[in-house]
């Protein structure tokens, strides 16, 4: 146990939380001290989010004690916890995409002027508040226009009020760019300086070591370790999370990508030519050969997600052609792309992926359903077979195929989505942030899977804000800026440094092939994120 | 708040979700029990038959409504479509009962398809589209058949009041519709699609589901089912009365669906619950009438039930 540091702000003893079929928390202790950043780590489904939800009154608890400033406490609703000084950003950011950024920020506590919302003041204050978090956007625009990262910052700014004593962040960086992560760390530094206790959940170990003071490791609902982070070896931390030997862990590296793939010759698995969409894409061309993993590099708003969406038929194009194995995709829309063998794992798990209320089984089978049916009738037997294959292959942790998908931990939901797209047996797989929110073990599995799929001759497009993942996983990286290709790295020149350089300068240092349309260099520097 | 009340919340959540799924059956049981004890003549074969016949159109309309609500929409025009189909039965009766019934069903389907097209393609909110159809539909019915018109046709009369194997024809038809909708929901691609569209439209789109076609089909089906109910009512009343056929049935149908455990936000459909909900609505009305309470009480009671149901459903899916 940590050395005596006075009374913790928040102290939990023996917290228990049961869900039908699982014990998500089996007696967890947690001490949060003022001015210290406390890491909460563990595999997908270990109970991190549940612990946070029990602390903040989202879930009731089935046992255990909670103390705030040494006095017994307990919150019946998240609002009550918020009033008591617990500011929380939950894993699934839940803001209202159609309302303006400023409205989202001030929802429920808008500045009033004779009973009406004082819009000028609200907009001014919103812009100021967000500026502190490095977000410079027009606060009158709908929140939905913002990147995931910027939305995360809005959620953070919203949660952290002046009265906050404890700030809890459940995987805040999973959709952030390196630059934004940096801003976030500055914010955390300031919070710590103000004597606020911070809880930080992340699967990215580098970040933990950079920003956290203490750590609690959860495994299957138990707190298996708690103490200062400094001096705790990285390998030992992983071993604690996975419940395995250190030597065993040491044998597997950081990422499990196997390195270069045997890229087959012949027709490319995917050819995209001159993809053009107003304000978003300006003539993006790329091809992926069978067995090749092509990475897409670039900042937020550079057009990576849009490129993937365009290829998958989800973005109306003014111009551009997409072909799979040399055959043009016939028709428009996502259904046509899927028929042609293109699968897209979208980046926004909650809004674009998960169908809440449906079971794990129905979610996995969603896209493949037409193939598992005949004459409009679903073959339950075939669905069961596909579902159980993928649940096993991706090791999805659920009480069974009929469990509701919302009840799964974040990482396992991500695996369900991956299963949905793999069940289509695609020729081209577009992965937009595939390891977002996935734990070290599962991340390795996904990366291994990507390798395997490539070996089977699949063409893979990989988008990731984790540069290490991009460099290790991709055979080639195409760099985008302002909706146009500005460079490409391949072979030995795919290194993290070269990539950072290429992204920052908007051109690849060793330009192998420059396919920019000439307009990219002249494009104005745009600070506003899309 | 004390720790005890925090723990009580867990049980409350579970109770709420149980209530949403099975509350309707408890409600039906309670109202039956009440009537058995307090309503003279309730326990008789004849009364059961009457209740079943009167519940049949509500059941049929509620089935269509359940499908629409599962996609996250709503259909306020079902009553007007009933009136419209009743009008067409009387207009085309000259061509024989079969033709007039088929025309009436077709008209219902077309009205539904119009709703569906505007909702799916133009993206206008369902509540507005179907409100317009509710007004226009009944208006058109009144233009076509300005006042109550008696219908004298032996075949239709037999359908409205005859029975086979002791069970009225209309109840057979309602049962058939229940079976059909159950089949659609449980076994077909269409059934999977409609809940997916209601649960997360964007995810459905990205998964290549024909979202618009699914919506169009759902509203068309809802219109056709309303027309079936219209034909049932016309045959039973032996008259086509555009002023009263299907009046306020949308309230009963929506209540039946919500009480039956289908959330108004969509993404889920409970067929058996909907049927039980419709029966509950019928029994509620019958009980109030039997005990000599004015009809306005019925509407108030229905409103109370729907508010209770929406309240129970409220908290789910949030935690
Ligand atoms: N509402 C719920 N109903 C039933 N089971 C649930 C519910 N919420 C969580 N669980 C289960 O509790 C366990 C812990 O889940 P939790 O979300 O806390 O994991 P986590 O550590 O946050 O994982 P991740 O890193 O993937 O976000 C999992 O087995 C999960 O399936
Ligand atoms: Mg979590």
């Amino acid at each position: 146990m940590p050395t005596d540091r006075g009374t913790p702000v928040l102290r939990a003893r023996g917290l228990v939380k049961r869900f039908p079929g699982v014990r998500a928390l089996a007696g967890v202790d947690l001490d949060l001290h003022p001015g210290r950043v406390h890491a909460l780590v563990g595999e997908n489904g270990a109970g991190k989010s549940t612990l946070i939800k029990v602390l903040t009154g989202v879930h009731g608890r089935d046992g255990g004690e909670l103390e705030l400033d040494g006095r017994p406490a307990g919150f019946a609703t998240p609002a009550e916890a918020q009033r008591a000084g617990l500011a929380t950003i939950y894993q699934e950011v839940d803001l209202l995409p159609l309302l303006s950024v400023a409205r989202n920020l001030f929802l429920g506590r808008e500045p009033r002027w004779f009973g009406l919302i004082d819009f000028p003041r609200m907009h001014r204050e919103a812009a100021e508040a967000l500026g502190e978090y490095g977000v410079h956007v027009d606060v009158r625009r709908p929140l939905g226009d913002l990147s995931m990262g910027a939305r995360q910052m809005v959620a953070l700014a919203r949660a952290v009020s002046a009265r906050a004593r404890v700030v809890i962040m459940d995987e805040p960086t999973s959709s952030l760019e390196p630059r934004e992560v940096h801003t976030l760390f500055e914010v955390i530094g300031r919070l710590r300086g103000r004597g606020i206790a911070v809880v930080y959940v992340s699967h990215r170990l580098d970040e933990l070591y950079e920003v956290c003071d203490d750590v609690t490791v959860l495994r299957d609902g138990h707190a298996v370790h708690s103490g200062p982070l400094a001096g705790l070896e990285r390998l030992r931390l992983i071993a604690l999370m996975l419940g395995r030997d250190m030597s065993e862990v040491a044998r597997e590296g950081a990422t499990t990508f196997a390195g270069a793939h045997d890229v087959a010759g012949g027709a490319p698995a995917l050819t995209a030519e001159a993809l053009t969409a107003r304000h978003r894409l300006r003539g993006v061309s790329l091809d992926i050969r069978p067995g090749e993993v092509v990475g897409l590099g670039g900042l937020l708003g550079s057009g990576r997600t849009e490129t993937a969406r365009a290829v998958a038929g989800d973005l109306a194009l003014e111009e551009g052609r997409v072909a799979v194995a040399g055959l043009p995709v016939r028709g428009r829309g996502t259904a046509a792309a899927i028929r042609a063998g293109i699968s897209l794992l979208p980046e926004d798990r909650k809004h674009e992926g998960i169908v809440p209320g449906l079971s794990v089984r129905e979610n996995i089978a969603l896209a493949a359903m037409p193939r598992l049916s005949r004459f409009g009738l679903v073959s339950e037997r075939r669905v069961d077979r596909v579902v159980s294959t993928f649940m096993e292959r991706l090791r999805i942790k659920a009480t069974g195929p009929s469990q509701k998908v919302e009840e799964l931990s974040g990482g396992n939901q991500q695996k369900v989505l991956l299963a949905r797209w793999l069940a289509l047996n695609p020729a081209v797989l577009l992965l937009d942030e595939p390891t977002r929110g996935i734990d070290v073990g599962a991340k390795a599995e996904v990366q291994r899977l990507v390798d395997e799929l490539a070996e089977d001759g699949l063409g893979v497009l990989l988008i990731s804000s984790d540069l290490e993942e991009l460099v290790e996983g991709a055979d080639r990286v195409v760099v985008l800026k302002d909706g146009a290709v500005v460079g490409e790295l391949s072979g030995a020149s795919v290194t993290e440094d070269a990539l950072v350089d290429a992204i920052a300068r908007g051109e690849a240092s060793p330009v192998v092939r420059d396919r920019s349309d000439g307009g990219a260099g002249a494009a104005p520097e745009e600070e506003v994120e899309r | 708040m004390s720790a005890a009340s925090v723990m009580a919340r867990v049980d409350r959540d579970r109770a709420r979700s149980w209530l949403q799924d099975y509350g309707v059956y408890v409600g039906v049981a309670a109202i039956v029990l009440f009537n058995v004890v307090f309503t003279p003549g309730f326990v008789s074969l004849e009364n059961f038959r009457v209740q079943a016949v009167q519940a049949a159109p509500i059941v049929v309309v509620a089935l269509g409504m359940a499908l629409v609500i599962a996609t996250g929409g709503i259909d306020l025009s079902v009553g007007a479509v009933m009136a419209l189909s009743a009008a067409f039965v009387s207009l085309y009766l000259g061509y024989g009962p079969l033709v007039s019934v088929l025309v009436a069903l077709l008209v219902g389907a077309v009205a539904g398809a119009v709703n569906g097209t505007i909702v799916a393609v133009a993206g206008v909110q369902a509540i507005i589209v179907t409100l317009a159809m509710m007004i226009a539909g009944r208006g058109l019915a009144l233009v076509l058949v300005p006042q109550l018109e008696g219908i004298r046709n032996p075949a239709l009369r037999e359908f409205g009041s005859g029975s086979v194997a002791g069970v009225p024809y209309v109840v057979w038809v309602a049962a058939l519709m229940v079976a059909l909708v159950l089949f659609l929901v449980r076994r077909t691609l269409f059934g999977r699609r409609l809940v997916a569209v209601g649960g997360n439209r964007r995810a459905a789109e990205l998964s290549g589901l024909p979202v618009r076609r699914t919506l169009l089909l759902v509203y068309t089906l809802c219109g056709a089912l309303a027309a079936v109910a219209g034909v049932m009512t016309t045959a039973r009343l032996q008259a086509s009365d555009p002023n009263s056929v299907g009046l306020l049935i949308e309230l009963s149908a929506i209540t039946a669906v919500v009480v039956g455990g289908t959330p108004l936000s969509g993404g889920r459909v409970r067929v058996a619950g909907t049927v039980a909900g419709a029966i509950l609505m019928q029994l509620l009305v019958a009980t109030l009438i039997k005990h000599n309470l004015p009809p306005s009480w019925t509407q108030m009671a229905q409103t109370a039930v729907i508010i209770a149901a929406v309240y129970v459903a409220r908290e789910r899916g949030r935690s």
Side-chain angles (χ1 to χ4, degrees), chain A residues 61 314 334 354 376 378 380, chain B residues 7 189 192 200 202 205:
Chain A
R61 57 181 191 264
D314 184 47
T334 48
I354 289 299
V378 178
E380 305 297 340
Chain B
M7 281 192 316
L189 212 48
R192 304 298 167 93
N200 186 342
R202 183 83 186 110
E205 252 161 23

Side-chain angles (χ1 to χ4, degrees), chain A residues 360-362 364-366 368-369 371-374 378-394 396 401-402 419-420 422-424, chain B residues 192:
Chain A
V360 170
R361 179 181 186 273
E362 299 299 319
I364 291 179
L366 186 68
M369 207 59 100
R371 299 182 190 184
L372 304 173
S373 330
R374 198 172 292 161
V378 178
S379 160
E380 305 297 340
R381 208 168 33 86
R382 285 162 74 191
V383 171
D384 282 337
R385 206 163 52 219
V386 167
V387 168
S388 69
T389 309
F390 283 99
M391 282 186 73
E392 254 164 59
R393 187 161 167 197
L394 299 182
I396 294 171
S402 58
R420 176 189 294 169
L422 291 178
L424 283 169
Chain B
R192 304 298 167 93

Side-chain angles (χ1 to χ4, degrees), chain B residues 76-101:
Chain B
L76 299 181
S77 68
V78 283
V81 171
M82 276 178 75
L84 206 53
S85 71
F88 273 88
V89 169
S90 90
L91 279 182
Y92 280 78
L93 201 57
Y95 297 90
L98 192 65
V99 171
S100 67
V101 166

Side-chain angles (χ1 to χ4, degrees), chain A residues 44-45 47-50 91 170-171 201 203 409-411:
Chain A
N44 292 133
K48 303 179 295 293
S49 300
T50 304
Q91 186 167 9
D170 197 351
E171 299 197 32
V201 180
H203 291 293
S409 75

Side-chain angles (χ1 to χ4, degrees), chain A residues 31-92:
Chain A
D31 282 342
L32 302 179
H33 293 273
R36 290 185 73 89
V37 183
H38 197 117
L40 204 55
V41 297
E43 285 186 285
N44 292 133
K48 303 179 295 293
S49 300
T50 304
L51 175 58
I52 289 171
K53 288 180 182 167
V54 168
L55 289 180
T56 59
V58 174
H59 291 318
R61 57 181 191 264
D62 298 322
E65 310 291 321
L66 210 58
E67 279 175 18
L68 189 67
D69 292 322
R71 276 187 297 276
F75 312 108
T77 64
E80 225 172 275
Q82 170 101 32
R83 278 196 296 276
L86 268 66
T88 314
I89 311 151
Y90 297 100
Q91 186 167 9
E92 310 295 341

